[in-house]
Amino acid sequence: MFHEKEAVIEKLTGVKSSKKSYYTELKRTIAELERKNKKLEILSDIAKGFHVHRPIQESLERVISQLYDMYPMQRISLSLLIDGELQLQSMYPEILAPFPVGTIFPKEKSLYWKAAERDIIVIHEFDESTIHFKEEIALARINIYHLCIVPLIVKEELVGVLSFGSENRINYDISDIEFLRQLSDHLAVLVENARLYQAVLQGRDEWEQTFQAVADILILTDRNQRIVRCNKAANDFFHVEELIGRSFHELICRESHHPCPFEDSFYTNEMKNYQLTVQPERVCDIQTFPVIDETQTSIGMVIYIKDVTEKIRTQAQLQHSGKLAAIGEMAAGVAHELNSPLTAILGNTQLLKRSLGRENTNYNLVEGIERSGNRCKTTIKNLLSFSRPEKNETTQCSFQQAAEDVLSLIGFQIEREQITINKKFAPDLPSIEGSPHQIEQILINLLLNAKDALLSKKDYKRIITIETGIMEHAQEKGNYICVKDNGIGMEENVMNNIFKPFYSTKYKQKGTGLGLSVSIDIAKSHNGTILVSSKKGSGSEFTLWLPERG
C-alpha cells in the first residue's frame, strides 16, 4: 500500500522524470566536452606534426587521420593562391587524384573559388544528375559526392583553400563549423610558414650555388680573422683539408712582408686591394670588403682572391715579344745602314786581295778585314732572324745550327766574362721537327743562366760546355743538347722550384723568374722535356731533349 502511494506521488510531482532528464543532460554535456577536448587535441596534434621541412603530403595525411574518427572523410587537397591564381599543390591520398598537381582552377563555376572569394566554409553535396560546378565532374569519377571547402586566411589575406571530400553526407553542426574555421586558421598559418621557409631555403640554395660557382676564391672571416665560410675554389687552391676555422693571416700573410690585407681593411672599414705572392709560385690579386654592422663596426671580412699568375706571365711574355719586336725594328734599321758600307768594304777587300796577291805582306791584313766584315754580316743576319716575329710553324731544324746561331749573338758577351765555351757536337746528328726560333730561345735562357751561375764564383776556371747527341728518354729515342757549367750549383729545394713561374734566385734587377718556366713550356709543346742535374758547389747541367718526331 505504501509503495503504491509513493508511485502515485512520483507521478504527480515528476521527481523520477526529473532525475532522468538530469542524467540525460549530464551525459550530453560530458559528450560535448569530450568532443571539444578531442577537437583541441586534434588542433594541437596537427600543429605539432606539421613541419616545414616535411613533404606536404605527409602533413595532409596526418590531418585526415586525426579527423577521420569524427568526420569520415576519404580525401583532402590543398590549393594555394599563387600570383592571383588558385593552384592545386598537393593531395592525399595520391591515388584519388582527379586533378594533377599544378592544376589551375578558373574562377567561373568553381566551388573552390566560391569559398575563397566569399571567405566562407562551403559544404556542398551533389549527385551526377545535378552537376553545376567544374570540380563536381572530376570528383564524381572517384565517387566523391560530398565536399567541405575551407578558405585559408592569414592576416586577412587569402592563402588558399583546403578541401575535404567524402562519399557520403557528413552532418555538420555549428560547433563543427567553428572547429573547421579554427582548423583552417591553424593550417593557414602553418602553410604560410612552410611557404616562407621554402622560399628562404630556395634563396639559400641559389645563393650557395652562386657562391660555389664563382671560379675565383671567396672567403668570409669573422672579427678574429678566422675563416667561417669559403667556396670550393678556395679549397682547391690552398690544397688544405679544412679551411674553416683557420686564421686568414696565417694562410695568406705568413711568409709575406706586406701589410696584412685583413688588418688594414678591418680597422679602416675600407675596401683594400693588394697583389701578393700567396704561394711560392702563385701571384694573386686580393680585395677585402669589411662587413659592417649597424654601429659602423667591422664584424668580419669578405675576401676575394684572383689568381693572376698566368695573366702576369702572359703580360711578361708580351713585353718580351714587344722588346723583340723593337729589337727587330732597330736591327732592320741597323742592317739597312750597315749593309751598304759592309758591301763596299767586302767588295773593296776582294779587289785588294786580287791586286796584292798572296805573296804581298799586306795580303793577310786585307784577309782579316774581309773575315771581320763577313762576321758582322752574319751577326746582323742572325739578329734579324731571331728578332723577326715568326709563325708557330715547325720545320726540320738542327741543334748544332741553333747553337751556332745563338753563340753568334751572345757568345762574345759570355767570353767577355772570361768564360770558356767548349762545343762537343755529335757528327751527323739528324735533324728534328720543331721551331728553330723557340729552340734558340731555350738555348739563350740556358746559356745566360749558366753565365750568371759562373759569375757568382771567381776563384776557378769558368767553363760552359755545349754538347749534342742522341739519347733515349721515357723509352723513346730523341736528340739532346746539353748546357753544362762548373758554377755554384743548386740545392735540391731550389731544383724543385726552378720551373715554376716567377721563381728566381737572382736579384730582381737580374731576372723575372720566367726564363725556365717559358723554356719548359716550349719543350713540352714539342713533346719533349728539360732534364736537370745539379749539386751544390759542383755546377749544373740542363739537357733539352726532343723526340725525333715532334
Side-chain angles (χ1 to χ4, degrees):
M1 189 71 178
F2 173 76
H3 294 293
E4 291 178 2
K5 290 181 179 180
E6 188 176 45
V8 172
I9 293 171
E10 286 179 354
K11 288 181 180 180
L12 293 173
T13 59
V15 172
K16 191 170 184 178
S17 62
S18 297
K19 287 181 180 180
K20 288 181 180 180
S21 299
Y22 171 75
Y23 287 116
T24 301
E25 187 66 29
L26 182 61
K27 279 185 178 184
R28 186 167 55 250
T29 302
I30 293 173
E32 288 178 358
L33 288 174
E34 290 177 347
R35 190 176 177 85
K36 287 182 180 179
N37 289 334
K38 180 63 176 177
K39 291 177 180 178
L40 291 174
E41 289 176 7
I42 290 173
L43 293 175
S44 177
D45 288 343
I46 290 173
K48 291 178 182 178
F50 201 100
H51 296 297
V52 291
H53 53 76
R54 175 183 294 172
I56 193 68
Q57 282 81 2
E58 292 185 20
S59 299
L60 294 180
E61 179 183 1
R62 186 177 182 86
V63 171
I64 201 169
S65 63
Q66 292 285 344
L67 294 176
Y68 189 78
D69 290 339
M70 297 179 63
Y71 310 104
M73 303 169 178
Q74 282 79 41
R75 180 182 181 274
I76 183 173
S77 70
L78 175 66
S79 301
L80 298 180
L81 190 67
I82 301 175
D83 297 329
E85 294 182 322
L86 201 56
Q87 186 179 101
L88 181 64
Q89 289 295 298
S90 56
M91 72 212 65
Y92 180 83
E94 294 185 25
I95 57 173
L96 297 178
F99 306 108
V101 171
T103 297
I104 296 176
F105 299 102
K107 293 185 178 182
E108 296 79 12
K109 295 185 178 181
S110 170
L111 281 168
Y112 292 171
W113 272 108
K114 179 180 178 181
E117 290 184 324
R118 299 182 185 180
D119 188 15
I120 58 173
I121 296 176
V122 174
I123 298 173
H124 183 74
E125 185 176 11
F126 63 95
D127 57 42
E128 294 182 3
S129 63
T130 58
I131 290 179
H132 301 288
F133 297 94
K134 294 180 179 179
E135 293 89 351
E136 295 175 328
I137 300 173
L139 292 170
R141 298 196 201 107
I142 56 172
N143 298 322
I144 298 296
Y145 296 100
H146 193 275
L147 282 179
C148 178
I149 305 169
V150 185
L152 303 180
I153 307 294
V154 175
K155 297 180 180 179
E156 299 182 356
E157 293 291 333
L158 178 69
V159 174
V161 295
L162 196 65
S163 169
F164 300 98
S166 59
E167 295 180 3
N168 302 310
R169 175 187 295 180
I170 299 175
N171 295 317
Y172 299 100
D173 58 21
I174 295 177
S175 63
D176 294 327
I177 299 300
E178 292 177 354
F179 167 70
L180 291 176
R181 176 61 76 180
Q182 292 175 348
L183 175 65
S184 70
D185 291 341
H186 274 68
L187 289 177
V189 173
L190 295 173
V191 168
E192 184 66 9
N193 289 343
R195 289 177 64 181
L196 293 174
Y197 176 81
Q198 292 299 326
V200 171
L201 194 63
Q202 182 180 355
R204 187 199 68 178
D205 291 342
E206 290 174 353
W207 180 87
E208 180 69 23
Q209 291 168 3
T210 303
F211 184 72
Q212 295 297 338
V214 176
D216 297 323
I217 300 165
L218 290 175
I219 294 175
L220 177 64
T221 67
D222 60 16
R223 65 176 71 247
N224 298 316
Q225 302 187 21
R226 296 291 174 185
I227 298 174
V228 297
R229 195 169 188 81
C230 63
N231 63 350
K232 184 177 181 295
N235 288 311
D236 294 342
F237 180 83
F238 290 106
H239 305 291
V240 177
E241 290 185 4
E242 185 58 60
L243 284 175
I244 306 301
R246 291 177 65 96
S247 168
F248 172 75
H249 176 82
E250 293 178 2
L251 191 68
I252 301 292
C253 308
R254 181 172 51 189
E255 300 178 358
S256 174
H257 301 294
H258 296 277
C260 176
F262 180 95
E263 294 178 350
D264 196 7
S265 189
F266 185 83
Y267 292 112
T268 60
N269 284 358
E270 297 177 354
M271 188 273 284
K272 298 291 183 180
N273 288 291
Y274 289 91
Q275 189 173 94
L276 301 180
T277 303
V278 176
Q279 296 180 7
E281 72 280 10
R282 310 311 293 177
V283 178
C284 295
D285 284 341
I286 301 178
Q287 293 180 307
T288 56
F289 303 88
V291 180
I292 302 173
D293 63 11
E294 62 277 1
T295 63
Q296 298 302 306
T297 302
S298 293
I299 58 174
M301 194 74 60
V302 175
I303 301 163
Y304 172 80
I305 302 175
K306 184 176 183 64
D307 186 352
V308 294
T309 307
E310 295 303 323
K311 177 183 176 182
I312 294 176
R313 181 179 177 184
T314 302
Q315 288 175 343
Q317 289 175 331
L318 290 174
Q319 290 175 358
H320 179 66
S321 299
K323 291 177 181 178
L324 289 179
I327 292 173
E329 291 181 6
M330 181 183 67
V334 171
H336 178 73
E337 294 296 327
L338 293 182
N339 274 335
S340 295
L342 276 175
T343 301
I345 291 170
L346 291 173
N348 288 329
T349 55
Q350 289 175 1
L351 292 174
L352 284 172
K353 284 171 64 178
R354 291 175 186 172
S355 62
L356 291 174
R358 288 184 177 276
E359 66 281 357
N360 193 299
T361 56
N362 293 323
Y363 185 85
N364 290 335
L365 295 175
V366 175
E367 199 171 44
I369 294 172
E370 185 181 29
R371 285 197 302 270
S372 297
N374 284 326
R375 181 181 176 185
C376 290
K377 190 173 183 179
T378 301
T379 300
I380 292 172
K381 178 183 177 181
N382 289 334
L383 185 62
L384 280 169
S385 175
F386 182 77
S387 302
R388 185 183 298 117
E390 65 168 21
K391 297 179 180 179
N392 291 328
E393 296 178 352
T394 59
T395 183
Q396 293 298 313
C397 57
S398 165
F399 273 171
Q400 181 174 335
Q401 184 62 47
E404 293 287 4
D405 290 343
V406 168
L407 288 175
S408 72
L409 290 175
I410 62 173
F412 177 74
Q413 175 187 347
I414 295 173
E415 291 174 341
R416 190 178 60 183
E417 302 291 348
Q418 287 77 50
I419 298 173
T420 301
I421 299 176
N422 291 335
K423 295 184 285 187
K424 297 181 179 180
F425 295 150
D428 302 324
L429 186 68
S431 60
I432 59 169
E433 189 176 337
S435 168
H437 175 79
Q438 291 183 334
I439 290 172
E440 290 173 8
Q441 186 176 350
I442 294 176
L443 290 177
I444 287 177
N445 285 327
L446 297 182
L447 285 169
L448 292 179
N449 285 345
K451 183 201 74 169
D452 292 339
L454 289 167
L455 292 179
S456 299
K457 245 182 177 182
K458 304 181 184 297
D459 56 350
Y460 58 88
K461 189 176 181 180
R462 304 180 182 126
I463 301 174
I464 292 178
T465 302
I466 305 175
E467 180 181 338
T468 63
I470 298 175
M471 64 178 284
E472 190 173 286
H473 174 73
Q475 299 180 344
E476 186 177 1
K477 187 180 290 186
N479 291 7
Y480 75 87
I481 182 166
C482 175
V483 177
K484 183 178 181 180
D485 67 75
N486 62 338
I488 58 175
M490 294 179 290
E491 296 178 349
E492 185 176 353
N493 66 320
V494 176
M495 287 178 58
N496 293 334
N497 293 291
I498 56 174
F499 291 115
K500 294 178 178 179
F502 309 109
Y503 181 85
S504 177
T505 57
K506 304 175 185 178
Y507 296 108
K508 290 184 178 179
Q509 293 81 1
K510 291 278 187 177
T512 63
L514 282 171
L516 287 176
S517 173
V518 171
S519 297
I520 190 67
D521 284 348
I522 293 174
K524 289 179 179 178
S525 71
H526 285 71
N527 298 319
T529 188
I530 298 176
L531 306 174
V532 186
S533 175
S534 182
K535 187 176 180 181
K536 185 67 175 177
S538 300
S540 302
E541 184 176 323
F542 286 80
T543 302
L544 169 64
W545 177 88
L546 298 180
E548 291 181 352
R549 295 183 179 181

